[in-house]
Amino acid sequence: MKHLFLTLIAFFSVVLPAFAQNLKTTTWSSYGVSFQAPADLVVEDDSSEGYIAGNDTYYLTIQLLEGEGLKKEELGQELKAIATDDEVTSQSSVQSFELPQFHGVQLKGNCEEEKCVYSYLLAKDGSCGFYISIVYRQENDKTPETILKSFRMEE
């Protein structure tokens, strides 16, 4: 019994840190949007063109939504179209969600060898919208969902 207990302690001390991500508030300064993201993300681009950052486990892309007048009701259809164009396989159905400042839709699937979640966020005040793509490795990883659900506009 003591051996089993020590084995479990050793297992969890090695495995849990690999899955637990230290998240910190990150800001895409060009558009004043912030979100929680792994602290060790390396930023490749933080400009008005987009925000791109990654590490060994996650690759995050954010872009301003193009197209004037995109409506909440059109988000799901548009997201499905972009995921199909990008050849995302094993697509989930589009799910709607609400954040304090955004209407959102998301779908999950496979982006080549890795998992991915695609999302559109539309500001409730109509001021802007964002396309978000998060590519990740582990099937049941909850961090992409945490990142997505943490988006907010800076005051």
Side-chain angles (χ1 to χ4, degrees):
M1 185 67 146
K2 184 176 180 183
H3 179 70
L4 176 62
F5 181 70
L6 292 175
T7 302
L8 287 174
I9 289 175
F11 174 77
F12 286 115
S13 67
V14 171
V15 172
L16 286 181
F19 290 110
Q21 285 289 319
N22 251 347
L23 300 180
K24 69 170 187 163
T25 300
T26 304
T27 302
W28 182 18
S29 54
S30 294
Y31 294 100
V33 64
S34 64
F35 51 94
Q36 294 293 305
D40 65 344
L41 282 185
V42 176
V43 177
E44 295 176 25
D45 185 16
D46 183 356
S47 68
S48 60
E49 298 296 314
Y51 183 92
I52 301 171
N55 63 16
D56 290 341
T57 308
Y58 305 100
Y59 193 76
L60 173 68
T61 303
I62 308 170
Q63 296 175 329
L64 190 65
L65 268 179
E66 298 295 327
E68 293 292 319
L70 190 61
K71 300 196 180 340
K72 175 184 170 184
E73 298 78 26
E74 302 168 337
L75 291 176
Q77 178 182 345
E78 294 295 323
L79 183 65
K80 189 82 168 162
I82 201 78
T84 300
D85 286 349
D86 286 354
E87 299 179 1
V88 175
T89 60
S90 302
Q91 292 180 22
S92 70
S93 60
V94 175
Q95 298 174 331
S96 298
F97 61 94
E98 294 290 322
L99 299 176
Q101 296 171 308
F102 295 102
H103 301 291
V105 293
Q106 72 175 24
L107 67 79
K108 295 179 181 179
N110 295 326
C111 295
E112 296 181 18
E113 305 293 315
E114 298 180 306
K115 308 296 174 200
C116 58
V117 60
Y118 276 28
S119 180
Y120 278 166
L121 297 178
L122 185 63
K124 289 181 177 178
D125 67 4
S127 63
C128 60
F130 301 100
Y131 158 77
I132 301 155
S133 166
I134 305 170
V135 177
Y136 56 101
R137 298 185 186 276
Q138 297 294 324
E139 176 85 30
N140 296 315
D141 189 342
K142 300 296 183 201
T143 301
E145 189 86 11
T146 301
I147 294 169
L148 187 58
K149 300 294 171 78
S150 68
F151 271 77
R152 62 185 175 85
M153 297 295 290
E154 296 289 307
E155 298 298 324

